[in-house]
Amino acid sequence: SEAMSKNFKVKNGLETTNITASANVSSSGAIIGNEITASGLNLVGSGTAELEVQGNITASGNISGSGTGSFGQIDFSDNNKLHFGDSKDLRIFHNGTDSFIQDVGTGELKIDGTAIRLRDQDDGGTIALFTQGAGTELRHNNVKKFETSDDGVIVTGDISGTGDLNT
C-alpha cells in the first residue's frame, strides 16, 4: 500500500491496487475503484456532490439524506422500518407477517387522489373505491355491495342487523 502523510496530487491519473490515507482524500474529478471503504464518508461540492454506484450498496447503519435520489429497488429485512419526517412520524414496514403504514405523529395520515382503490392482493379485485365527486363503493368478492350517491346509499343484497333500527 502507499501511505500518504503529506499532500499528494495527481494531475493525469493514478493507477494502483491500494491507497491508504490517514487524512482527507480530495479530488476535483472522479475517484474510481472496485471497492472503496470509508469511515464517515462525506461528499461536499461547490455545486452538487454526487456519488455514483454501479452495483449494490450495502449498509449496516443508518442512511439519511436531504436531497433526492433514485433507486431501482431498496430491500429491507423484516421489522426494519422506513422513516419519514424529523420525528420519524411516518413509518412503513413489514414484521414478517403483516405490513404497516403508520402515522405516529400528531397530524393526520392523508391519502390524496381523484380515485383511490384498495385492491385484493391475490387477484387485483377491488375491495373499496373512493372516487372524487362520485362516491364510495365497498365490494365483496369484487361485487359492489354498498355505494354512496347524491341521494344517499345503495345496498345490494340482504341487510341484517341486531337491535333497534331507528329512523
Side-chain angles (χ1 to χ4, degrees):
S1 81
E2 300 170 28
M4 292 178 260
S5 59
K6 298 188 182 230
N7 291 338
F8 182 76
K9 295 181 181 179
V10 176
K11 290 187 177 184
N12 294 320
L14 170 68
E15 191 172 314
T16 184
T17 55
N18 190 15
I19 296 175
T20 302
S22 59
N24 295 335
V25 175
S26 300
S27 172
S28 60
I31 298 175
I32 301 170
N34 290 331
E35 182 175 323
I36 298 174
T37 303
S39 174
L41 177 64
N42 292 309
L43 300 175
V44 180
S46 58
T48 59
E50 188 172 301
L51 173 65
E52 181 179 329
V53 176
Q54 296 176 354
N56 296 328
I57 298 174
T58 303
S60 59
N62 295 329
I63 298 174
S64 58
S66 59
T68 60
S70 60
F71 301 92
Q73 179 173 316
I74 301 174
D75 296 323
F76 291 90
S77 300
D78 290 342
N79 295 308
N80 287 324
K81 297 177 181 176
L82 186 58
H83 293 135
F84 296 91
D86 291 341
S87 299
K88 301 179 182 176
D89 300 16
L90 177 62
R91 301 171 183 170
I92 301 174
F93 68 99
H94 180 76
N95 69 4
T97 304
D98 301 310
S99 299
F100 297 87
I101 299 174
Q102 293 180 334
D103 178 3
V104 297
T106 57
E108 300 173 342
L109 175 62
K110 297 180 180 183
I111 302 173
D112 296 332
T114 56
I116 299 170
R117 183 181 308 264
L118 301 180
R119 298 175 0 135
D120 184 296
Q121 179 266 328
D122 291 331
D123 64 8
T126 299
I127 297 170
L129 176 61
F130 308 94
T131 307
Q132 180 177 319
T136 298
E137 298 176 7
L138 301 179
R139 299 182 185 196
H140 177 76
N141 267 353
N142 206 24
V143 176
K144 192 182 331 176
K145 296 295 182 176
F146 183 90
E147 179 179 8
T148 62
S149 69
D150 291 339
D151 298 325
V153 297
I154 301 165
V155 178
T156 303
D158 297 332
I159 299 175
S160 32
T162 59
D164 296 332
L165 177 62
N166 298 318
T167 57

